[in-house]
Amino acid sequence: MSVNDSKAEAKSLFIAAGCNRIVNNVSWGASDLVSFGAQNAVAIFCPKSAQILTTLPGHRAAVNCTHWLPSNKFAFKAKHFNRHYLLSGDADGTIILWELSVVGNKWRHVLQLPQSHKKGVTCITAFMVSQSDAIFATSSSDGTVCVWDAALPTTSGGECKLTCLETLIIGSRPMVTLSLAQLPGNTGLIALAMGGLDNKIYLYCGERTGKFVRACEVKGHADWIRSLDFSLPILSGECDSILLVSSSQDKGIRIWKLTLRGSLADTEDTRKRGEISLASYIEGPVFVAGSFSYQISLESLLIGHEDWVYSVQWQPPSVVAEEEVGFYQPQSILSASMDKTMMIWQPERKTGIWMNVVTVGELSHCALGFYGGHWSPDAHSILAHGFGGAFHMWKNIGVSSDNWQPQRVPSGHFAAVTDIGWARCGEYILSVSHDQTARIFAPWHNQDPQSNGNSWHEIARPQVHGHDINCAAIVQGKGNHRFVSGAEEKVARVFEAPLSFLKTLHHTTSEQSSFPEDVQADVQVLGANMSALGLSQKPIYVNATREVQDHPGNDGLDTLESVPDAFPVTLTEPPIEDQLAWHTLWPESHKLYGHGNELFSLCCDHEGKLVASSCKAQSATVAEIWLWQVGSWKAVGRLQSHSLTVTQMEFSHDDNLLLAVSRDRQFSVFKINRGGMDEIDYNLIERREAHKRIIWACSWNPFGHEFATGSRDKTVKIWGVEKTSSVKHLLSLPPFNSSVNALSWVGLDQQRDHGLLAVGMETGLLQIWSLHVERGNGTDSISTPSVTAAPIIRLDPFMCHVSAVNRLAWKNHENNENCTSLQLASCGADNSVRLYEVTID
């Protein structure tokens, strides 16, 4: 297979990403898919498979809001829709409309809204009039609310006609929640309720042709309004009243009834028309819209949450069985609060008093409250997203009575992912992030046969730290699984897998784990506990588990510094967030002191005997590379060469050379000599200014002493270390369109010295190049090898990262002959970890 004949394709196997920690970020659509913002990507996940299906590129700032057209509220209208639409708004005020074709599951960027807001979008809400007609409203921190009329495409790929009906200037206190409804009485009038950074609900009314006017203010809450949601009429035929539910930072939920009193011609009679129910014991304001008058009254006050209530949502209407067009609006409300609970509220049948009938929540030490709660279209499941960027889902599996049980959901980092690495035998991927966690993702083989049997999940969270984590290196070689991590501190920390993880890993793989059971017997640590300050993780020993359970810390007193004990167990199915956050920690075995600044880069040699580390530096003495001996964890070397931060290091595949690249635009190659008695000798054989800007990435050829460097100057260069210990420039790839941030070289055919180089860019895009090294006939020991290169894959932007790629890593494969299928892991500033399968023909 020559370079030019290489044909390859890549497909996405897995995406992990956390949810942006902001209200109104999540939407559950009538398509039964959930959308959310993951940094500046719009991520789409399927609740049934618990997998993120894709991410949509287009936003240049963090995504604040997403909203489906139609949303779960209008699912009863959307059973036979061929296309669904999605609105997303970001922190710069940009709003984008996307189209999903149900056939083929294909996404399309339809348009970016004109006259977008000048500041961040805070809320998007919509009302579906018909399959191709919707009204939606958007609010922003710039103090404006826009109302839009959208004529959606009638054919796939068609044009969308947008009309801005009204731009309302609210003032200095922006609105953070909106809800749209058609006013009762088939009047053709539209109501827009909005709430924000004061304690009033503002109601605006208008017609489809435009001009919305403020109808009234509704007072009652004692703090900022956080969420509003109009119900549909209780039955599709009865249209004299609708309900509005509101929640606030005053911890209360209020239900308001909006009733049609009559036309203005009947004003004398309006007070006598229709009896107001006993529950509406406070008569509210009367307002005029068009030629009709309406009254708002307080229907009920719901007290039960102990903290701010961030979200309230009516249960989606259900289709009336007899008539396909009719619907029924259930009297049921879902609320989500910062008190870590979601509640379902329903009126009692006899008294009509609203009661809390279901409470679910996360009681773990790590959960810090919920930002939003959402119904599934069929109302059998509820979903929350929280402060930790995590999702929590419960499903009602009860037959005669409610029984809400936790369900699997996608998980991932909620801040930039800084480093990634494969386990020595490829059983799992380890990633670290500025969200202060390290996470392990693995394929779970013994799944139910209907779920394709090989989906990836987060199976452990070995480190939960108090500082942003910048780098990690998995220790290769024999023995237990270990890794070293470096955070925004001067100490590198070493972690070792506990017995509970080894047994869980055994469950995940259909074949025998690489860590046999007789070696597991030597591991005496079952798991780890978090310390009060969140920096060190203390081991839980196998023989001490019963004692820990019998004697809780602090004699049962709940103080600010008390941390509940973890109970590590062997997992037989992919864990949910509550288990991951607390019970899957690895114990810390060593701390490596020496660096003068925060750690920035780590790498391990292929034998598992040396670890190299570097830190942030602005002088030559601080920019030293430290070498640590695995096992004793003694410092055995301090390599001086660079004057600024060393950004990445890598050992050659025979472990004889160490390559380092730096912010000072230079690379260094060190010769590592290993003597007897674990003695290490090293010397600098080459230092060269290789690029015009910072060098971010480097990678060795697995079959020789050639290496690649990638830089902010948008170039990738190939170099060769000769037998005379000099380094020669062999090839420069054509300039890329943006800074090259990550490189990874994998071997395909050792006899022909053929491999692939993955290139990750600041824009998030990925390319894969085929590299072929020609070494001549071997008679001339001084001859310089030649390298030929050709691009074979430019990944589709919908498969790539949406922000800078931070690291790439090919899965290790032992058989280098005629390898046709490879796996490439990547991580980036868009909070995501991605896995691709690359197939070579």
Side-chain angles (χ1 to χ4, degrees), residues 44 108 112 116 133 225 446 546 610 725 781 785:
I44 309 295
R108 179 174 74 96
Q112 182 174 318
S116 292
D133 194 7
I225 310 297
N446 52 345
R546 186 178 299 277
L610 282 179
S725 292
S781 61

Side-chain angles (χ1 to χ4, degrees), residues 129-143:
V129 182
S130 67
Q131 181 171 355
S132 59
D133 194 7
I135 300 167
F136 65 92
T138 59
S139 63
S140 165
S141 304
D142 63 8

Side-chain angles (χ1 to χ4, degrees), residues 421-442:
W422 285 91
R424 58 178 178 262
C425 296
E427 308 100 314
Y428 58 82
I429 297 169
L430 171 77
S431 62
V432 295
S433 164
H434 284 165
D435 70 1
Q436 306 186 347
T437 66
R439 303 177 189 234
I440 287 176
F441 302 95

Side-chain angles (χ1 to χ4, degrees), residues 648 650 697-699 708-710 716 740-745 757-760 808:
Q648 192 178 357
E650 191 174 296
C698 61
S699 188
T709 57
V716 172
V740 175
N741 283 25
L743 295 171
S744 186
W745 196 333
L757 180 69
V759 182
L808 294 167

Side-chain angles (χ1 to χ4, degrees), residues 27-32 70-79 229-235 245 312-320 326-335 344-346 373-383 404:
S27 178
W28 199 331
S31 58
D32 205 19
S71 64
N72 52 3
K73 182 188 285 190
F74 298 97
F76 68 93
K77 289 185 177 182
K79 286 195 171 181
D229 191 30
F230 274 115
S231 72
L232 294 180
I234 293 178
L235 283 173
V245 62
V312 280
Q313 192 177 89
W314 288 97
Q315 181 177 327
S318 51
V319 177
V320 177
F327 65 87
Y328 166 71
Q329 169 70 66
Q331 298 296 284
S332 180
I333 293 169
L334 174 68
S335 62
I344 297 176
W345 306 81
Q346 293 172 358
H374 303 269
W375 292 96
S376 64
D378 62 6
H380 292 157
S381 300
I382 52 177
L383 177 77
W404 294 86

Side-chain angles (χ1 to χ4, degrees), residues 759-810:
V759 182
M761 283 161 273
E762 192 173 37
T763 55
L765 298 180
L766 291 171
Q767 293 186 21
I768 296 175
W769 287 67
S770 177
L771 298 183
H772 194 180
V773 181
E774 293 278 357
R775 300 188 190 279
N777 53 19
T779 56
D780 184 1
S781 61
I782 311 177
S783 64
T784 302
S786 64
V787 180
T788 51
I792 58 170
I793 304 177
R794 287 183 172 88
L795 273 73
D796 186 313
F798 279 81
M799 290 172 62
C800 295
H801 290 275
V802 184
S803 288
V805 181
N806 285 336
R807 192 74 82 226
L808 294 167
W810 292 98

